[in-house]
Amino acid sequence: MFNEHVKKLTGKSPKYFELAAAHIINNSDVEAFSTLVEQSNFLFYFVKKNVKKRLANAVNPYNYRNLLSFLKIYSYDYEDLIISSLVKFADEDLTDTMLELFENGSNEERAYCAKYFLYINDTLAIDLLRKYSYSDFDPLFLNCAEALSVMKDEFSYNLALEKLKSDDEFEKLSAVRFLTAYNDLRAIDVIFETMKKSSMPENIASEISYLQSILEFLDSEFKYDTILALNHIVNGLGEIISLEQVLDFQLFEVLAKLIKLQKIEWNSKIAVVLLNAQLKLEQLTENDEYLFDESQATKEEIYCIKEFLNSQPQEFWDIQKKIFQQELTQWSDFIFPALDLVQELNLLESSDKLKELLTLNNQTIILRTVEVIKFLGKLDEIDKETVWGEISDENIRLIIQSLFA
Protein backbone atom coordinates (compact mmCIF):
# COMPACT_ATOMS: atom_id res chain seq x y z
CA MET A 1 0.00 0.00 0.00
CA PHE A 2 1.44 3.38 -1.04
CA ASN A 3 1.37 6.30 1.39
CA GLU A 4 3.09 9.60 0.62
CA HIS A 5 3.79 10.38 4.29
CA VAL A 6 5.36 6.98 4.90
CA LYS A 7 7.50 7.41 1.79
CA LYS A 8 8.80 10.71 3.12
CA LEU A 9 9.20 9.38 6.66
CA THR A 10 11.44 6.54 5.46
CA GLY A 11 13.41 8.76 3.11
CA LYS A 12 16.73 10.55 3.60
CA SER A 13 15.72 14.21 3.44
CA PRO A 14 15.27 15.94 6.85
CA LYS A 15 13.14 18.55 5.11
CA TYR A 16 10.57 15.89 4.30
CA PHE A 17 10.88 13.24 7.02
CA GLU A 18 10.52 15.76 9.84
CA LEU A 19 7.32 17.11 8.31
CA ALA A 20 6.02 13.60 7.69
CA ALA A 21 6.69 12.53 11.28
CA ALA A 22 4.98 15.67 12.61
CA HIS A 23 1.98 15.08 10.34
CA ILE A 24 1.53 11.46 11.42
CA ILE A 25 1.66 12.30 15.14
CA ASN A 26 -0.21 15.62 15.07
CA ASN A 27 -3.03 14.23 12.95
CA SER A 28 -3.21 10.75 14.48
CA ASP A 29 -2.77 9.42 10.95
CA VAL A 30 -3.78 5.80 11.53
CA GLU A 31 -3.72 5.04 7.81
CA ALA A 32 -0.06 6.09 7.57
CA PHE A 33 0.85 4.16 10.72
CA SER A 34 -0.93 1.07 9.40
CA THR A 35 1.02 1.31 6.13
CA LEU A 36 4.25 1.71 8.07
CA VAL A 37 3.51 -1.44 10.08
CA GLU A 38 2.65 -3.38 6.91
CA GLN A 39 5.97 -2.38 5.35
CA SER A 40 7.98 -3.10 8.49
CA ASN A 41 9.28 -6.50 7.36
CA PHE A 42 10.62 -4.94 4.17
CA LEU A 43 12.54 -2.11 5.84
CA PHE A 44 16.19 -2.42 6.75
CA TYR A 45 17.00 -2.33 10.47
CA PHE A 46 18.71 1.07 10.26
CA VAL A 47 15.72 2.52 8.37
CA LYS A 48 13.31 1.35 11.11
CA LYS A 49 15.65 2.73 13.74
CA ASN A 50 15.65 6.12 12.00
CA VAL A 51 11.87 6.05 11.58
CA LYS A 52 11.33 5.40 15.30
CA LYS A 53 13.69 8.21 16.22
CA ARG A 54 11.93 10.62 13.85
CA LEU A 55 8.49 9.76 15.22
CA ALA A 56 9.72 9.99 18.82
CA ASN A 57 11.12 13.47 18.13
CA ALA A 58 7.70 14.54 16.89
CA VAL A 59 5.96 13.61 20.15
CA ASN A 60 5.57 16.43 22.68
CA PRO A 61 3.48 17.32 25.76
CA TYR A 62 0.70 18.67 23.51
CA ASN A 63 0.22 15.74 21.11
CA TYR A 64 1.31 12.59 22.96
CA ARG A 65 -2.27 11.44 23.53
CA ASN A 66 -2.65 11.21 19.74
CA LEU A 67 -0.61 8.00 20.00
CA LEU A 68 -3.63 6.32 21.58
CA SER A 69 -5.20 6.17 18.12
CA PHE A 70 -2.41 3.85 16.99
CA LEU A 71 -3.04 1.29 19.73
CA LYS A 72 -5.62 -0.50 17.58
CA ILE A 73 -2.75 -1.65 15.35
CA TYR A 74 -0.26 -3.80 17.21
CA SER A 75 3.35 -3.75 16.06
CA TYR A 76 6.25 -5.34 17.86
CA ASP A 77 8.61 -3.04 15.95
CA TYR A 78 6.90 0.16 17.13
CA GLU A 79 5.61 -0.96 20.52
CA ASP A 80 8.56 0.46 22.46
CA LEU A 81 8.38 3.77 20.58
CA ILE A 82 4.70 4.21 21.42
CA ILE A 83 4.89 3.09 25.04
CA SER A 84 8.13 4.94 25.88
CA SER A 85 6.59 8.13 24.47
CA LEU A 86 3.40 7.68 26.51
CA VAL A 87 5.37 6.85 29.66
CA LYS A 88 7.50 9.96 29.17
CA PHE A 89 4.44 12.17 29.49
CA ALA A 90 2.34 9.90 31.72
CA ASP A 91 0.02 11.41 34.28
CA GLU A 92 -2.95 10.19 36.30
CA ASP A 93 -5.43 10.91 33.49
CA LEU A 94 -3.42 8.91 30.96
CA THR A 95 -3.09 5.99 33.37
CA ASP A 96 -6.86 6.01 33.92
CA THR A 97 -7.34 5.97 30.14
CA MET A 98 -4.95 3.03 29.79
CA LEU A 99 -6.79 1.15 32.53
CA GLU A 100 -10.08 1.69 30.73
CA LEU A 101 -8.58 0.53 27.43
CA PHE A 102 -7.06 -2.48 29.14
CA GLU A 103 -10.47 -3.49 30.41
CA ASN A 104 -12.61 -2.74 27.37
CA GLY A 105 -10.28 -2.48 24.38
CA SER A 106 -9.17 -4.97 21.75
CA ASN A 107 -6.39 -7.47 22.36
CA GLU A 108 -4.07 -5.23 20.37
CA GLU A 109 -4.85 -2.30 22.65
CA ARG A 110 -4.53 -4.49 25.72
CA ALA A 111 -1.07 -5.61 24.59
CA TYR A 112 0.10 -1.99 24.54
CA CYS A 113 -1.59 -1.36 27.89
CA ALA A 114 0.18 -4.32 29.48
CA LYS A 115 3.48 -2.91 28.22
CA TYR A 116 2.55 0.50 29.66
CA PHE A 117 2.03 -1.03 33.11
CA LEU A 118 5.42 -2.68 32.83
CA TYR A 119 6.75 0.85 33.41
CA ILE A 120 3.87 2.45 35.28
CA ASN A 121 3.40 -0.01 38.14
CA ASP A 122 -0.16 0.84 39.07
CA THR A 123 -1.55 -1.85 41.38
CA LEU A 124 -5.02 -1.27 39.88
CA ALA A 125 -3.73 -3.03 36.74
CA ILE A 126 -2.72 -6.26 38.48
CA ASP A 127 -6.11 -7.98 38.17
CA LEU A 128 -6.23 -7.21 34.45
CA LEU A 129 -2.64 -8.35 33.96
CA ARG A 130 -3.52 -11.64 35.66
CA LYS A 131 -6.72 -11.97 33.64
CA TYR A 132 -4.97 -11.70 30.27
CA SER A 133 -1.69 -13.39 31.19
CA TYR A 134 -2.74 -16.55 29.30
CA SER A 135 -4.27 -14.82 26.29
CA ASP A 136 -4.05 -16.51 22.89
CA PHE A 137 -2.66 -13.21 21.58
CA ASP A 138 1.06 -13.63 22.16
CA PRO A 139 2.07 -9.97 22.62
CA LEU A 140 -0.62 -9.59 25.29
CA PHE A 141 0.38 -12.86 26.96
CA LEU A 142 4.07 -11.96 27.12
CA ASN A 143 3.61 -8.31 28.11
CA CYS A 144 1.33 -9.32 30.97
CA ALA A 145 3.88 -11.84 32.27
CA GLU A 146 6.71 -9.30 32.08
CA ALA A 147 4.66 -6.62 33.86
CA LEU A 148 3.61 -9.03 36.62
CA SER A 149 7.27 -9.94 37.08
CA VAL A 150 8.28 -6.30 37.49
CA MET A 151 5.47 -5.92 40.03
CA LYS A 152 6.78 -9.07 41.79
CA ASP A 153 3.33 -10.65 41.73
CA GLU A 154 3.93 -13.95 43.54
CA PHE A 155 0.32 -15.03 43.06
CA SER A 156 0.84 -15.26 39.28
CA TYR A 157 4.18 -16.98 39.69
CA ASN A 158 2.77 -19.62 42.03
CA LEU A 159 -0.27 -20.14 39.80
CA ALA A 160 2.03 -20.92 36.87
CA LEU A 161 3.91 -23.45 39.00
CA GLU A 162 0.58 -25.13 39.78
CA LYS A 163 -0.32 -25.23 36.09
CA LEU A 164 2.87 -27.23 35.45
CA LYS A 165 1.17 -30.08 37.33
CA SER A 166 -1.76 -30.14 34.92
CA ASP A 167 -2.61 -33.23 32.86
CA ASP A 168 -3.16 -30.91 29.90
CA GLU A 169 0.09 -30.62 27.92
CA PHE A 170 -0.95 -27.32 26.36
CA GLU A 171 -1.67 -25.83 29.77
CA LYS A 172 1.77 -26.97 30.92
CA LEU A 173 3.36 -25.32 27.90
CA SER A 174 1.47 -22.08 28.57
CA ALA A 175 2.74 -22.14 32.14
CA VAL A 176 6.30 -22.63 30.94
CA ARG A 177 5.93 -19.72 28.53
CA PHE A 178 4.57 -17.56 31.32
CA LEU A 179 7.46 -18.47 33.63
CA THR A 180 10.11 -17.77 31.02
CA ALA A 181 8.53 -14.40 30.27
CA TYR A 182 8.23 -13.78 34.02
CA ASN A 183 12.00 -14.31 33.94
CA ASP A 184 12.61 -15.80 37.37
CA LEU A 185 15.30 -18.47 37.52
CA ARG A 186 13.76 -19.97 40.65
CA ALA A 187 11.50 -22.02 38.39
CA ILE A 188 14.17 -23.53 36.16
CA ASP A 189 14.55 -26.87 37.95
CA VAL A 190 10.77 -27.43 37.85
CA ILE A 191 10.66 -26.46 34.17
CA PHE A 192 13.39 -28.96 33.34
CA GLU A 193 11.50 -31.71 35.20
CA THR A 194 8.32 -30.78 33.34
CA MET A 195 10.21 -31.04 30.04
CA LYS A 196 11.43 -34.55 30.89
CA LYS A 197 7.90 -35.80 31.54
CA SER A 198 6.15 -33.92 28.74
CA SER A 199 4.92 -35.26 25.42
CA MET A 200 5.91 -31.87 23.98
CA PRO A 201 9.55 -31.62 25.14
CA GLU A 202 10.72 -29.76 22.02
CA ASN A 203 8.28 -26.90 22.67
CA ILE A 204 9.27 -26.60 26.31
CA ALA A 205 12.99 -26.82 25.54
CA SER A 206 12.73 -23.99 23.04
CA GLU A 207 11.14 -21.76 25.70
CA ILE A 208 13.86 -22.46 28.29
CA SER A 209 16.44 -20.63 26.20
CA TYR A 210 14.47 -17.38 26.63
CA LEU A 211 14.83 -17.56 30.40
CA GLN A 212 18.61 -17.62 30.10
CA SER A 213 20.91 -18.39 27.19
CA ILE A 214 21.88 -22.00 26.53
CA LEU A 215 25.53 -20.97 26.76
CA GLU A 216 24.99 -19.68 30.30
CA PHE A 217 23.02 -22.76 31.31
CA LEU A 218 25.86 -24.99 30.10
CA ASP A 219 28.09 -23.34 32.70
CA SER A 220 25.55 -23.87 35.47
CA GLU A 221 24.51 -26.72 37.75
CA PHE A 222 21.91 -27.57 35.09
CA LYS A 223 24.51 -28.49 32.48
CA TYR A 224 23.17 -31.96 31.69
CA ASP A 225 19.52 -30.89 31.77
CA THR A 226 20.51 -28.17 29.31
CA ILE A 227 22.21 -30.71 27.03
CA LEU A 228 18.99 -32.75 27.07
CA ALA A 229 16.97 -29.60 26.26
CA LEU A 230 19.38 -28.84 23.43
CA ASN A 231 18.82 -32.32 22.02
CA HIS A 232 15.06 -31.69 22.02
CA ILE A 233 15.64 -28.36 20.27
CA VAL A 234 17.74 -30.03 17.58
CA ASN A 235 15.04 -32.70 17.10
CA GLY A 236 12.36 -30.05 16.69
CA LEU A 237 14.13 -27.79 14.20
CA GLY A 238 12.25 -27.34 10.95
CA GLU A 239 9.11 -29.11 12.09
CA ILE A 240 8.14 -28.02 15.60
CA ILE A 241 10.62 -25.18 16.06
CA SER A 242 11.14 -22.42 13.50
CA LEU A 243 14.55 -22.49 11.82
CA GLU A 244 15.01 -18.75 12.32
CA GLN A 245 15.35 -19.50 16.04
CA VAL A 246 18.81 -21.01 15.48
CA LEU A 247 20.00 -17.42 15.79
CA ASP A 248 18.13 -16.90 19.06
CA PHE A 249 19.55 -20.15 20.41
CA GLN A 250 23.10 -19.19 19.30
CA LEU A 251 23.22 -22.74 17.99
CA PHE A 252 26.57 -22.34 16.23
CA GLU A 253 28.24 -21.05 19.40
CA VAL A 254 26.56 -23.70 21.54
CA LEU A 255 27.69 -26.59 19.34
CA ALA A 256 31.19 -25.11 19.12
CA LYS A 257 31.31 -25.03 22.92
CA LEU A 258 30.15 -28.65 23.15
CA ILE A 259 32.76 -29.82 20.66
CA LYS A 260 35.45 -28.00 22.64
CA LEU A 261 34.21 -29.67 25.84
CA GLN A 262 33.97 -33.04 24.13
CA LYS A 263 37.61 -33.05 23.18
CA ILE A 264 38.34 -32.92 26.91
CA GLU A 265 35.48 -34.86 28.51
CA TRP A 266 34.45 -37.48 25.91
CA ASN A 267 30.98 -37.31 27.41
CA SER A 268 28.30 -39.72 26.15
CA LYS A 269 25.47 -37.18 26.59
CA ILE A 270 27.29 -34.58 24.53
CA ALA A 271 27.99 -37.29 21.93
CA VAL A 272 24.24 -37.88 21.54
CA VAL A 273 23.58 -34.19 20.87
CA LEU A 274 26.47 -33.74 18.45
CA LEU A 275 25.56 -36.80 16.39
CA ASN A 276 21.92 -35.77 16.38
CA ALA A 277 22.88 -32.26 15.29
CA GLN A 278 25.01 -33.56 12.43
CA LEU A 279 22.13 -35.74 11.18
CA LYS A 280 19.62 -32.90 11.54
CA LEU A 281 21.75 -30.42 9.60
CA GLU A 282 22.14 -32.94 6.79
CA GLN A 283 18.37 -33.37 6.72
CA LEU A 284 17.70 -29.63 6.66
CA THR A 285 20.07 -28.99 3.77
CA GLU A 286 19.56 -32.05 1.56
CA ASN A 287 16.77 -30.28 -0.38
CA ASP A 288 14.89 -26.95 -0.48
CA GLU A 289 11.90 -28.20 1.50
CA TYR A 290 13.04 -26.78 4.84
CA LEU A 291 14.95 -23.66 3.79
CA PHE A 292 12.90 -22.39 0.86
CA ASP A 293 10.96 -19.72 2.77
CA GLU A 294 13.69 -18.82 5.27
CA SER A 295 15.56 -15.53 5.33
CA GLN A 296 19.04 -15.29 3.87
CA ALA A 297 20.48 -14.86 7.38
CA THR A 298 18.84 -18.09 8.55
CA LYS A 299 20.01 -20.04 5.49
CA GLU A 300 23.58 -18.80 5.93
CA GLU A 301 23.56 -19.76 9.61
CA ILE A 302 22.25 -23.26 8.88
CA TYR A 303 24.91 -23.90 6.25
CA CYS A 304 27.59 -22.40 8.48
CA ILE A 305 26.67 -24.80 11.30
CA LYS A 306 26.64 -27.75 8.89
CA GLU A 307 30.06 -26.83 7.51
CA PHE A 308 31.46 -26.43 11.01
CA LEU A 309 30.21 -29.85 12.13
CA ASN A 310 31.49 -31.53 8.99
CA SER A 311 34.87 -29.87 9.43
CA GLN A 312 35.55 -32.09 12.43
CA PRO A 313 37.78 -35.07 11.53
CA GLN A 314 36.16 -38.44 10.88
CA GLU A 315 38.03 -39.85 13.86
CA PHE A 316 36.14 -37.43 16.10
CA TRP A 317 32.78 -38.68 14.81
CA ASP A 318 33.83 -42.32 15.06
CA ILE A 319 34.57 -41.77 18.75
CA GLN A 320 31.14 -40.15 19.25
CA LYS A 321 29.47 -43.21 17.73
CA LYS A 322 31.19 -45.42 20.26
CA ILE A 323 30.73 -43.41 23.44
CA PHE A 324 27.10 -42.32 22.94
CA GLN A 325 26.08 -45.96 23.47
CA GLN A 326 26.81 -45.53 27.16
CA GLU A 327 23.38 -43.83 27.26
CA LEU A 328 21.66 -47.12 26.35
CA THR A 329 20.54 -47.67 29.92
CA GLN A 330 17.19 -47.23 31.64
CA TRP A 331 18.75 -44.74 34.05
CA SER A 332 19.56 -42.27 31.30
CA ASP A 333 17.35 -39.38 30.21
CA PHE A 334 18.99 -39.84 26.82
CA ILE A 335 18.00 -43.46 26.24
CA PHE A 336 15.35 -42.77 23.60
CA PRO A 337 17.55 -40.30 21.63
CA ALA A 338 20.32 -42.91 21.87
CA LEU A 339 18.02 -45.65 20.52
CA ASP A 340 17.00 -43.32 17.68
CA LEU A 341 20.68 -42.80 16.84
CA VAL A 342 21.35 -46.54 16.73
CA GLN A 343 18.60 -46.79 14.12
CA GLU A 344 19.57 -43.64 12.19
CA LEU A 345 23.22 -44.70 12.00
CA ASN A 346 22.34 -48.38 11.39
CA LEU A 347 24.80 -49.48 14.07
CA LEU A 348 24.71 -53.28 13.81
CA GLU A 349 27.48 -53.49 16.41
CA SER A 350 25.02 -52.20 19.03
CA SER A 351 22.85 -55.32 18.93
CA ASP A 352 24.38 -56.90 22.04
CA LYS A 353 23.83 -53.70 24.00
CA LEU A 354 20.24 -53.59 22.80
CA LYS A 355 19.57 -57.15 23.93
CA GLU A 356 20.47 -56.12 27.48
CA LEU A 357 17.66 -53.54 27.41
CA LEU A 358 15.11 -56.31 26.80
CA THR A 359 15.60 -57.55 30.36
CA LEU A 360 14.52 -54.24 31.92
CA ASN A 361 11.19 -53.63 33.61
CA ASN A 362 10.42 -50.55 31.50
CA GLN A 363 7.95 -51.70 28.86
CA THR A 364 8.19 -48.56 26.74
CA ILE A 365 11.96 -49.00 26.45
CA ILE A 366 11.49 -52.67 25.56
CA LEU A 367 9.04 -51.75 22.78
CA ARG A 368 11.35 -49.13 21.25
CA THR A 369 14.30 -51.51 21.54
CA VAL A 370 12.46 -54.27 19.68
CA GLU A 371 11.60 -51.76 16.94
CA VAL A 372 15.28 -50.82 16.56
CA ILE A 373 16.42 -54.47 16.61
CA LYS A 374 13.93 -55.26 13.85
CA PHE A 375 15.21 -52.31 11.81
CA LEU A 376 18.75 -53.68 12.16
CA GLY A 377 17.56 -57.06 10.90
CA LYS A 378 18.48 -58.81 14.15
CA LEU A 379 15.02 -59.87 15.33
CA ASP A 380 15.77 -63.54 14.82
CA GLU A 381 18.52 -63.31 17.43
CA ILE A 382 16.15 -62.66 20.34
CA ASP A 383 13.66 -64.93 22.10
CA LYS A 384 10.20 -63.44 21.64
CA GLU A 385 8.76 -65.57 24.44
CA THR A 386 11.22 -64.04 26.87
CA VAL A 387 10.33 -60.55 25.67
CA TRP A 388 6.59 -61.14 25.99
CA GLY A 389 7.15 -62.42 29.49
CA GLU A 390 8.30 -58.93 30.48
CA ILE A 391 5.18 -57.23 29.05
CA SER A 392 1.98 -56.75 31.00
CA ASP A 393 0.55 -53.82 29.01
CA GLU A 394 -1.81 -55.36 26.45
CA ASN A 395 -1.37 -52.60 23.86
CA ILE A 396 2.42 -52.88 23.95
CA ARG A 397 2.15 -56.67 23.81
CA LEU A 398 0.05 -56.44 20.63
CA ILE A 399 2.50 -54.03 18.98
CA ILE A 400 5.47 -56.25 19.80
CA GLN A 401 3.57 -59.28 18.56
CA SER A 402 3.00 -57.50 15.23
CA LEU A 403 6.72 -56.69 15.01
CA PHE A 404 7.56 -60.39 15.25
CA ALA A 405 4.91 -61.36 12.71
Side-chain angles (χ1 to χ4, degrees):
M1 182 188 298
F2 175 79
N3 185 286
E4 185 65 30
H5 299 295
V6 172
K7 181 181 178 182
K8 292 177 180 178
L9 180 66
T10 56
K12 297 180 179 180
S13 171
K15 175 182 177 181
Y16 293 115
F17 68 60
E18 288 176 357
L19 286 174
H23 164 84
I24 291 171
I25 301 299
N26 290 333
N27 293 279
S28 299
D29 192 338
V30 174
E31 181 182 341
F33 181 68
S34 177
T35 301
L36 184 63
V37 170
E38 288 174 9
Q39 294 182 359
S40 186
N41 289 337
F42 305 101
L43 298 178
F44 289 114
Y45 170 78
F46 74 89
V47 174
K48 282 192 278 194
K49 184 177 179 181
N50 287 337
V51 165
K52 287 185 274 190
K53 183 177 180 180
R54 293 163 187 175
L55 289 172
N57 288 339
V59 179
N60 59 53
Y62 307 103
N63 65 11
Y64 71 93
R65 290 184 70 95
N66 292 350
L67 293 171
L68 297 175
S69 300
F70 302 150
L71 302 190
K72 293 182 177 65
I73 304 167
Y74 178 78
S75 168
Y76 175 79
D77 286 319
Y78 298 102
E79 179 186 65
D80 285 337
L81 157 72
I82 292 173
I83 297 305
S84 62
S85 297
L86 289 175
V87 168
K88 181 179 180 180
F89 300 106
D91 57 20
E92 190 173 334
D93 286 342
L94 178 62
T95 297
D96 288 343
T97 299
M98 297 299 277
L99 280 169
E100 194 279 329
L101 266 180
F102 203 175
E103 187 166 10
N104 300 310
S106 65
N107 279 341
E108 288 77 10
E109 289 170 317
R110 289 174 179 142
Y112 284 113
C113 291
K115 192 77 168 187
Y116 177 84
F117 290 110
L118 175 64
Y119 300 101
I120 305 297
N121 300 155
D122 192 319
T123 55
L124 293 176
I126 287 182
D127 286 343
L128 290 168
L129 290 167
R130 290 173 179 170
K131 180 178 180 179
Y132 296 111
S133 60
Y134 290 93
S135 168
D136 291 334
F137 186 53
D138 262 16
L140 176 55
F141 177 113
L142 296 172
N143 288 349
C144 284
E146 290 179 13
L148 288 166
S149 175
V150 169
M151 293 184 183
K152 301 188 184 304
D153 183 45
E154 288 291 301
F155 175 85
S156 297
Y157 174 79
N158 291 326
L159 178 62
L161 292 179
E162 283 299 310
K163 286 178 177 288
L164 291 180
K165 302 174 185 176
S166 170
D167 293 329
D168 186 325
E169 290 293 331
F170 289 98
E171 185 166 283
K172 285 182 185 177
L173 179 58
S174 291
V176 169
R177 296 187 68 229
F178 177 89
L179 288 167
T180 55
Y182 192 89
N183 198 30
D184 191 324
L185 279 171
R186 287 180 298 167
I188 187 57
D189 55 340
V190 184
I191 293 174
F192 275 127
E193 289 306 310
T194 302
M195 176 191 74
K196 292 175 186 178
K197 299 172 184 175
S198 174
S199 61
M200 303 168 67
E202 298 89 352
N203 303 79
I204 293 176
S206 68
E207 292 297 327
I208 288 171
S209 66
Y210 294 107
L211 184 57
Q212 182 174 274
S213 76
I214 296 173
L215 287 169
E216 290 176 292
F217 273 132
L218 285 173
D219 289 327
S220 74
E221 63 185 291
F222 299 104
K223 174 181 175 180
Y224 294 118
D225 286 335
T226 303
I227 292 172
L228 180 61
L230 179 60
N231 196 67
H232 289 312
I233 288 171
V234 169
N235 282 339
L237 285 175
E239 292 158 358
I240 298 171
I241 300 171
S242 168
L243 288 182
E244 66 183 358
Q245 289 182 266
V246 297
L247 296 164
D248 296 336
F249 300 141
Q250 299 176 281
L251 190 58
F252 182 97
E253 293 81 0
V254 168
L255 292 174
K257 182 181 180 72
L258 288 184
I259 286 177
K260 185 176 180 180
L261 284 172
Q262 192 65 333
K263 291 177 179 179
I264 302 170
E265 297 184 13
W266 301 116
N267 184 287
S268 54
K269 294 175 174 58
I270 295 177
V272 170
V273 177
L274 292 178
L275 287 166
N276 199 19
Q278 188 185 45
L279 289 169
K280 173 60 73 167
L281 269 295
E282 288 294 334
Q283 177 191 351
L284 294 176
T285 55
E286 64 186 0
N287 56 53
D288 292 335
E289 177 185 353
Y290 291 101
L291 296 176
F292 183 77
D293 292 325
E294 298 297 333
S295 68
Q296 189 60 33
T298 299
K299 291 178 182 178
E300 288 176 359
E301 188 74 0
I302 292 291
Y303 278 103
C304 192
I305 295 170
K306 176 185 176 179
E307 183 179 344
F308 171 68
L309 292 175
N310 289 341
S311 70
Q312 305 306 310
Q314 186 57 45
E315 180 186 9
F316 175 83
W317 294 112
D318 289 341
I319 293 173
Q320 307 316 305
K321 290 176 184 178
K322 290 180 181 178
I323 64 176
F324 92 84
Q325 296 179 53
Q326 295 173 25
E327 298 304 316
L328 292 171
T329 165
Q330 68 173 326
W331 311 116
S332 172
D333 291 326
F334 290 77
I335 184 168
F336 288 106
L339 284 167
D340 292 342
L341 277 176
V342 171
Q343 180 169 322
E344 288 284 337
L345 298 170
N346 197 28
L347 296 179
L348 297 177
E349 63 269 27
S350 300
S351 58
D352 288 341
K353 188 77 173 175
L354 296 178
K355 291 173 188 175
E356 294 176 12
L357 297 179
L358 298 177
T359 63
L360 304 178
N361 56 11
N362 187 310
Q363 299 181 52
T364 308
I365 292 176
I366 292 174
L367 170 58
R368 180 65 185 122
T369 302
V370 172
E371 289 174 338
V372 176
I373 290 173
K374 180 172 183 177
F375 177 86
L376 297 177
K378 299 283 188 177
L379 208 55
D380 58 344
E381 295 182 8
I382 63 176
D383 182 359
K384 63 181 180 181
E385 298 295 337
T386 301
V387 174
W388 285 345
E390 299 290 337
I391 304 300
S392 59
D393 185 294
E394 189 60 31
N395 290 326
I396 293 179
R397 177 182 283 269
L398 289 172
I399 295 172
I400 291 179
Q401 188 173 6
S402 69
L403 290 171
F404 278 101

